[in-house]
Amino acid sequence: MLALYRLVSGWPLGLLHAVGAALGWLAWLASPTYRRRFAENSSRAGYPFAQVRAAIAHAGRMATETPRLWFGPPVPVRWEGTELVDAAYAARRGVVFLTPHLGCFEITAQAVAARYHAEHGPITVLYRPARQPRLAAVVESARQREGLQTAPTTLAGVRQMIKALRAGQAVGLLPDQVPPEGMGLWTPFFGQDAYTMTLAARLLLQTGASPLLIWGERLARGHGFCVHVRALAEPLAGELEPAVAQINREMERLIRECPQQYLWGYGRYKTPRSGA
């Protein structure tokens, strides 16, 4: 698998996106479960199929662009909102970057690492280790890059993130990812309760770090990505449950910026798996 990823990583981004768009539609056509979940999730947020059908192709693009981002030459990236990042680092309390399953979330961590690590240290990104040994080896090899560190979804990984924040560094995570049982709260997301991780809110409340919203827009015709940075609409609540609910609302706000690039087929409302 590693050899295949390295081979494909040399393809032009536009070609990878074209192949990915086709694969995205094939996956949608082949899976009734995927189609049903896509329709339910998007309609729950108030979007008719015509408004979000482009998300089917974008899901495929996400898969085929990954080898290029992990192993290939750099891709064009432009920024919107760097003044927010500069101010957050200047506060010297650490920075927590939050992004939903929107656009290319792989590029956001890479872009932060490339732009800021020399002055402010690496960004530590939370990830769930792959269950398949071959895929785990690919991921481990891909994310060994300057300015980017990874923390597994374990107690040791949480400690690693807290240590980074207390050193004034940045961490990144996807708070709309369904956590294991016992590590979340049932909180509204687009009007329906979804099991939501408490980790993002706990990190912010425990360390006093600066929260920022970030997402990577996938540009047309393989022209790269635009990294968008946003501040919270209002200061983070001081208690855990309202802070978790607030973060969900912020994720909704980001998704509504570009619903055509959200992973509507993601099982956001599934029952959490047992075990921490």
Side-chain angles (χ1 to χ4, degrees):
M1 183 174 289
L2 181 57
L4 176 61
Y5 267 60
R6 291 192 181 278
L7 174 65
V8 176
S9 69
W11 291 12
L13 187 61
L15 175 58
L16 289 170
H17 281 173
V19 173
L23 292 177
W25 276 100
L26 283 174
W28 185 83
L29 291 169
S31 174
T33 300
Y34 178 33
R35 292 197 300 272
R36 183 176 63 254
R37 183 186 297 152
F38 185 103
E40 289 174 351
N41 289 349
S42 56
S43 63
R44 185 178 288 113
Y47 293 108
F49 179 72
Q51 281 189 259
V52 294
R53 61 179 297 166
I56 296 170
H58 276 288
R61 293 183 181 110
M62 183 194 70
T64 55
E65 75 195 3
T66 300
R68 173 67 185 266
L69 297 177
W70 282 357
F71 300 109
V75 296
V77 176
R78 65 173 189 252
W79 283 79
E80 180 189 71
T82 54
E83 69 281 358
L84 296 172
V85 184
D86 295 337
Y89 273 118
R92 300 185 182 279
R93 300 194 305 267
V95 186
V96 177
F97 288 102
L98 304 172
T99 182
H101 287 77
L102 175 67
C104 179
F105 35 93
E106 185 72 31
I107 198 64
T108 58
Q110 291 188 10
V112 170
R115 186 180 182 99
Y116 291 101
H117 87 273
E119 183 176 359
H120 299 291
I123 177 173
T124 302
V125 179
L126 184 71
Y127 80 104
R128 182 176 296 167
R131 297 180 181 180
Q132 300 177 356
R134 291 184 179 180
L135 183 56
V138 171
V139 174
E140 183 177 353
S141 174
R143 289 180 168 156
Q144 296 297 324
R145 63 177 62 223
E146 189 176 17
L148 179 61
Q149 297 181 355
T150 56
T153 51
T154 62
L155 182 57
V158 174
R159 289 172 176 163
Q160 180 183 345
M161 299 179 83
I162 292 174
K163 182 178 179 181
L165 291 173
R166 287 179 173 165
Q169 297 174 1
V171 303
L173 64 163
L174 280 69
D176 66 338
Q177 184 169 334
V178 180
E181 186 178 2
M183 299 179 68
L185 294 171
W186 289 98
T187 305
F189 186 71
F190 286 122
Q192 178 173 328
D193 280 354
Y195 199 64
T196 303
M197 70 161 63
T198 59
L199 177 59
R202 289 183 187 277
L203 288 174
L204 290 164
L205 294 173
Q206 182 173 342
T207 66
S210 301
L212 285 178
L213 314 176
I214 188 170
W215 73 281
E217 180 185 2
R218 189 176 294 108
L219 302 179
R221 297 182 294 279
H223 288 172
F225 304 90
C226 181
V227 175
H228 300 273
V229 184
R230 305 281 184 264
L232 298 187
E234 57 188 34
L236 186 71
E239 297 182 0
L240 183 63
E241 288 194 28
V244 172
Q246 182 181 351
I247 290 173
N248 263 4
R249 293 194 299 272
E250 295 290 357
M251 294 300 99
E252 293 177 13
R253 183 162 68 96
L254 278 192
I255 293 164
R256 292 197 185 280
E257 287 190 16
C258 189
Q260 298 82 8
Q261 294 195 21
Y262 183 62
L263 288 182
W264 294 108
Y266 177 62
R268 183 64 186 91
Y269 301 95
K270 63 185 178 183
T271 301
R273 70 186 192 283
S274 60

